[in-house]
C-alpha cells in the first residue's frame, strides 16, 4: 500500500488539522487587530498551535509510511488543545470582555480547567484507566501540597480576591509600608507600582491576612488633610475664610463634597488648623497637596496672617542687613510710577497721588490662582507690577479668554468707582505682583475733592466709548451723544457709591 492510500484512510485526522489551521489564522488576525498591550496574549496560543500542527503532520506521515506513533498522537492533540484553549481565552477576555479588567489568575485558572477537561476526555478515549490515575494523582497532590503549602495559600488567596472584589486592577492600595496601584494579580502575588514608578510584589495571602487600605473603594474620592498653624491673635473665623478661599480654583480639588476647615490644636506657638478637601485621583495627591500649600502661603501673605515657627539662627552674615532688597524710598517711587501709567488717575495732582500711594497694598498671587471671579462683589482696582494675567468672560455657561493684562496695565476700575460686581474673571498666568487701591483710599480722596468724581467718570466713559465706537462703527455725533449720556449715568453712580453730595 502506497502513502497516498494511507492518507485516504485517515480523513478524520485531517479534519483536526484544518481546524487547527483555521484557529491559527484567527489568532494571527487577532494579533493584527488587538490593542498593542493585548497582542502579547496571542504569542503562546500561536506557538502551541504551530507545534500541534507540526506534530500532526509528522504523525500523519509516519502513519502513512506504516509506522504507529500513538504517543506522538497524544502530544499532537495535547498541543492543539492548548492552542484552542488559548484562542478561546483571547475571544472571551480580549474581544468580548475587552472593557473589563480581568485578573490574569482568573484567566489562567479558567484555561487550566478547560484544558484539564479536554485532557481527561482524550485520556478516556485513549483507554487510560482514569480511576487509577486519579488515585495516584490524589496521593501525589497530597505530597506536593504539603511541600507547597504557602504557594497554595497564595494561589487560593489570588482566586478569592477577584471573587470578593475587595481589590481590583487599577486600585490604589496600602499594604504595610507600601502604597501603589495594582497592575497585575498573578497566581502567587499581586504586583503594585508605586507613585515613584517602583514595582512591589505582595504575596496574595498578605492582602487577606494583614491590614490593607484601598484608596479607590468604595469610590474614587479621597479626602486630604493639610495642617497649618497661625498666630493666636488671628480670629479662627478669619483664618477659616482665608484658607477656604485659597482652595478656590485649585485643579484637582473637588467642590463637592465641599471642603471644610477648623482648629484642631492649641500649640505652643500657634493655633493648628486642619484644611480638608476631596480629590478623585489618588495618584495626584502629592501634586494637589503641594499646590494647596502654595495657595495657602500666598493667601496668608495677602491677608496678613502670620505663620509662626521657632527659629534658631546659628550664623548671621555681617552684611545681611546692610543692603535691603528694596528701600522705602524705592518702593514709594515705584508706586508713584505705577500710578502714572494709569490714565484713570491722570487728572490727579501730585498731592492726590501721594494719598493714593500711601494707601496702596502690595499683594502676590501664584501661577494659576484666580485673582477675581466674574460676578463676585468688589470695590478695588489692581495695578499689575509683574507677571501676566488672563481675563476670562463667561456668557451662557461658556467661558473664553478675551484679553491679557501686562505689567503696567490695570483692571477692576468699575468695581472701584461704582461697587458693581466683577465683570470678568482674572487668573494669574505666572507668579504676579499687584498693587491694590481700595474703596476706602479713594473715598478719602473724594471726600476732600468731590469734583474728582467728574474727572474719573469722564476718563472711564471716554475709554469705554472709544472701544464701543470701534466695534459698532459709530459716527462722531452719535459717539458724542452716547458719551454724554453714559458720563451722566456713571457720575450719578459714583456719587451714590461714595455718598457724595
Amino acid at each position: 500500500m502506497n502513502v497516498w492510500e494511507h492518507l485516504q484512510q485517515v480523513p478524520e485526522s485531517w479534519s483536526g488539522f484544518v481546524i487547527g489551521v483555521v484557529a491559527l489564522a484567527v489568532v494571527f488576525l487577532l494579533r493584527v487587530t488587538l490593542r498593542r498591550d493585548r497582542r502579547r496574549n496571542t504569542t503562546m496560543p500561536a506557538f502551541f498551535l504551530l507545534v500541534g500542527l507540526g506534530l500532526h503532520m509528522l504523525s500523519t506521515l509516519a502513519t502513512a509510511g506504516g509506522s504507529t506513533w500513538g504517543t506522538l498522537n497524544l502530544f499532537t492533540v495535547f498541543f492543539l488543545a492548548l492552542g484552542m484553549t488559548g484562542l478561546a481565552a483571547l475571544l472571551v477576555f480580549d474581544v468580548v470582555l475587552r472593557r473589563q479588567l480581568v485578573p490574569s489568575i482568573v484567566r489562567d485558572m479558567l484555561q487550566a480547567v478547560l484544558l484539564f477537561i479536554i485532557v481527561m476526555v482524550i485520556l478516556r478515549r485513549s483507554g487510560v484507566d482514569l480511576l487509577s490515575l486519579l488515585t495516584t494523582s490524589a496521593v501525589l497532590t497530597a505530597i506536593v501540597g504539603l511541600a507547597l503549602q504557602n504557594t497554595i495559600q497564595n494561589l487560593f488567596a489570588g482566586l478569592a480576591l477577584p471573587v470578593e472584589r475587595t481589590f481590583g486592577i487599577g486600585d490604589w492600595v496600602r499594604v504595610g509600608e507600601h502604597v501603589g496601584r495594582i497592575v497585575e494579580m498573578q497566581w502567587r502575588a499581586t504586583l503594585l507600582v508605586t507613585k515613584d514608578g517602583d514595582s512591589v510584589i505582595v504575596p496574595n495571602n498578605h492582602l487577606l491576612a494583614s491590614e490593607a487600605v484601598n484608596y479607590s473603594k468604595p469610590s474614587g474620592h479621597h479626602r486630604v488633610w493639610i495642617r497649618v498653624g497661625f498666630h493666636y491673635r488671628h480670629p479662627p473665623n478669619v483664618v477659616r475664610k482665608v484658607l477656604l478661599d485659597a482652595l478656590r480654583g485649585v485643579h484637582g480639588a473637588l467642590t463637592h463634597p465641599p471642603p471644610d476647615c477648623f482648629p484642631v490644636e492649641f500649640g505652643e506657638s500657634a493655633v493648628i488648623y486642619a484644611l480638608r478637601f476631596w480629590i478623585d485621583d489618588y495618584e495626584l495627591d502629592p501634586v494637589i497637596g503641594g499646590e494647596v500649600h502654595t495657595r495657602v502661603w500666598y493667601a496668608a501673605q495677602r491677608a496678613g496672617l502670620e505663620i509662626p515657627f521657632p527659629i534658631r539662627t546659628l550664623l548671621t552674615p555681617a552684611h545681611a542687613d546692610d543692603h535691603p532688597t528694596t528701600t522705602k524710598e524705592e518702593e514709594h517711587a515705584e508706586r508713584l510710577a505705577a500710578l502714572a501709567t494709569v490714565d484713570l488717575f491722570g487728572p490727579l495732582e501730585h498731592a492726590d497721588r501721594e494719598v493714593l500711594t500711601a494707601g496702596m497694598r502690595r499683594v502676590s498671587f501664584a501661577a494659576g490662582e484666580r485673582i477675581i471671579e466674574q460676578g463676585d462683589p468688589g470695590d478695588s482696582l489692581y495695578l499689575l507690577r509683574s507677571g501676566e494675567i488672563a481675563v476670562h468672560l463667561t456668557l451662557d455657561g461658556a467661558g473664553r479668554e478675551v484679553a491679557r493684562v501686562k505689567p503696567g496695565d490695570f483692571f477692576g476700575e468699575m468695581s472701584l468707582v461704582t461697587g458693581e460686581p466683577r465683570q470678568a474673571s482674572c487668573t494669574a498666568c505666572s507668579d504676579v505682583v499687584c498693587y491694590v487701591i481700595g474703596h476706602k483710599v479713594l473715598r478719602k480722596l473724594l471726600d476732600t475733592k468731590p469734583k474728582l468724581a467728574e474727572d474719573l467718570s469722564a476718563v472711564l466713559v471716554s475709554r469705554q466709548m472709544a472701544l464701543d465706537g470701534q466695534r459698532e462703527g459709530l459716527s462722531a455725533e452719535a459717539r458724542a451723544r452716547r458719551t454724554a449720556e453714559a458720563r451722566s449715568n456713571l457720575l450719578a453712580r459714583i456719587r451714590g457709591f461714595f455718598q457724595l453730595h
Side-chain angles (χ1 to χ4, degrees):
M1 182 180 299
N2 56 31
V3 175
W4 173 250
E5 292 175 345
H6 281 285
L7 292 175
Q8 288 181 325
Q9 293 180 1
V10 287
E12 294 183 0
S13 66
W14 282 100
S15 63
F17 181 84
V18 173
I19 294 176
V21 171
V22 173
L24 183 62
V26 174
V27 170
F28 279 109
L29 179 62
L30 291 176
R31 186 175 182 85
V32 175
T33 56
L34 287 176
R35 289 197 330 237
R36 185 181 300 274
D37 59 330
R38 293 180 180 268
R39 291 177 185 175
R40 57 187 178 89
N41 296 331
T42 63
T43 302
M44 294 308 296
F47 171 76
F48 290 136
L49 287 172
L50 284 173
V51 173
L53 292 175
L55 293 176
H56 186 283
M57 296 183 63
L58 183 61
S59 175
T60 303
L61 293 175
T63 303
S67 302
T68 304
W69 290 11
T71 304
L72 186 59
N73 289 333
L74 288 178
F75 276 107
T76 299
V77 177
F78 178 74
F79 277 101
L80 288 176
L82 281 173
M84 294 300 293
T85 54
L87 174 59
L90 285 172
L91 294 175
V92 173
F93 296 107
D94 295 322
V95 177
V96 179
L97 302 178
R98 63 183 180 277
R99 299 184 183 275
Q100 304 294 325
L101 295 176
V102 181
S104 60
I105 186 174
V106 176
R107 179 182 189 138
D108 296 340
M109 180 59 70
L110 292 178
Q111 285 185 250
V113 171
L114 180 59
L115 180 62
F116 176 78
I117 295 174
I118 294 175
V119 170
M120 296 302 291
V121 172
I122 293 173
L123 292 176
R124 182 177 180 84
R125 293 186 62 181
S126 302
V128 178
D129 187 359
L130 296 180
L131 181 60
S132 61
L133 180 63
L134 291 175
T135 303
T136 305
S137 300
V139 175
L140 181 61
T141 301
I143 297 174
V144 174
L146 292 175
L148 302 177
Q149 184 175 1
N150 291 334
T151 302
I152 293 175
Q153 288 179 354
N154 289 325
L155 171 62
F156 281 98
L159 291 174
L161 290 173
V163 173
E164 294 179 354
R165 296 188 177 182
T166 306
F167 301 96
I169 295 177
D171 289 352
W172 281 96
V173 299
R174 176 172 61 82
V175 183
E177 61 180 10
H178 300 293
V179 176
R181 185 198 295 271
I182 297 178
V183 297
E184 189 61 79
M185 302 180 71
Q186 302 171 347
W187 288 80
R188 187 187 65 85
T190 296
L191 179 62
L192 308 180
V193 175
T194 67
K195 295 178 182 179
D196 295 328
D198 303 321
S199 296
V200 179
I201 299 175
V202 180
N204 291 329
N205 191 38
H206 285 190
L207 288 174
L208 296 180
S210 62
E211 293 184 359
V213 179
N214 192 333
Y215 295 108
S216 302
K217 291 181 180 178
S219 68
H221 290 177
H222 174 72
R223 184 154 61 184
V224 180
W225 288 60
I226 289 180
R227 294 165 62 92
V228 59
F230 290 96
H231 199 280
Y232 274 89
R233 69 173 177 269
H234 303 309
N237 287 339
V238 173
V239 175
R240 180 185 293 114
K241 183 179 185 305
V242 170
L243 294 182
L244 291 177
D245 287 344
L247 274 176
R248 187 172 62 176
V250 175
H251 180 70
L254 304 180
T255 56
H256 298 285
D260 57 7
C261 177
F262 48 86
V264 293
E265 180 185 350
F266 293 110
E268 294 183 357
S269 59
V271 180
I272 309 301
Y273 294 84
L275 178 61
R276 306 189 305 177
F277 58 94
W278 294 84
I279 62 175
D280 57 4
D281 190 347
Y282 183 76
E283 184 176 6
L284 298 179
D285 178 17
V287 178
I288 300 174
E291 181 63 21
V292 172
H293 277 92
T294 301
R295 298 287 183 90
V296 166
W297 186 91
Y298 277 92
Q301 293 294 312
R302 292 193 299 271
L305 301 181
E306 179 183 354
I307 305 177
F309 57 92
I311 298 179
R312 184 175 61 176
T313 302
L314 299 180
L315 180 63
T316 301
H319 61 280
D321 297 325
D322 294 345
H323 302 285
T325 303
T326 304
T327 64
K328 292 183 178 180
E329 293 76 10
E330 291 174 341
E331 178 69 17
H332 180 73
E334 188 174 313
R335 294 187 178 196
L336 284 176
L339 280 178
T341 62
V342 182
D343 55 1
L344 176 63
F345 302 124
L348 299 182
E349 299 177 357
H350 179 74
D352 299 330
R353 294 184 182 181
E354 288 287 352
V355 173
L356 290 183
T357 300
M360 291 169 61
R361 291 187 301 112
R362 175 173 171 168
V363 295
S364 301
F365 294 89
E369 195 169 2
R370 187 61 61 90
I371 300 175
I372 60 175
E373 187 79 33
Q374 181 177 347
D376 283 356
D379 60 358
S380 57
L381 174 145
Y382 290 81
L383 302 176
L384 183 58
R385 176 177 179 256
S386 63
E388 186 176 8
I389 295 173
V391 181
H392 296 270
L393 192 63
T394 301
L395 294 174
D396 300 328
R400 61 187 180 92
E401 182 178 327
V402 295
R404 287 288 178 108
V405 180
K406 304 290 185 179
D409 294 340
F410 64 95
F411 57 96
E413 64 276 8
M414 293 303 295
S415 295
L416 171 66
V417 298
T418 65
E420 66 182 26
R422 301 296 188 183
Q423 298 180 348
S425 299
C426 295
T427 305
C429 300
S430 60
D431 288 354
V432 303
V433 177
C434 296
Y435 289 117
V436 181
I437 299 176
H439 168 74
K440 292 182 179 180
V441 179
L442 186 59
R443 179 169 184 173
K444 181 180 179 181
L445 188 60
L446 291 178
D447 285 342
T448 58
K449 295 184 177 181
K451 189 177 181 302
L452 286 177
E454 299 180 11
D455 298 331
L456 295 177
S457 63
V459 173
L460 289 174
V461 169
S462 298
R463 288 187 60 189
Q464 187 63 42
M465 289 300 102
L467 293 176
D468 292 345
Q470 292 176 1
R471 287 196 299 262
E472 301 176 13
L474 297 176
S475 63
E477 182 180 355
R479 188 183 306 173
R481 183 173 58 255
R482 181 179 293 186
T483 299
E485 296 174 357
R487 179 178 176 180
S488 176
N489 293 333
L490 180 59
L491 180 58
R493 292 163 61 190
I494 294 176
R495 286 175 172 172
F497 181 53
F498 288 92
Q499 298 179 354
L500 302 177
H501 302 289

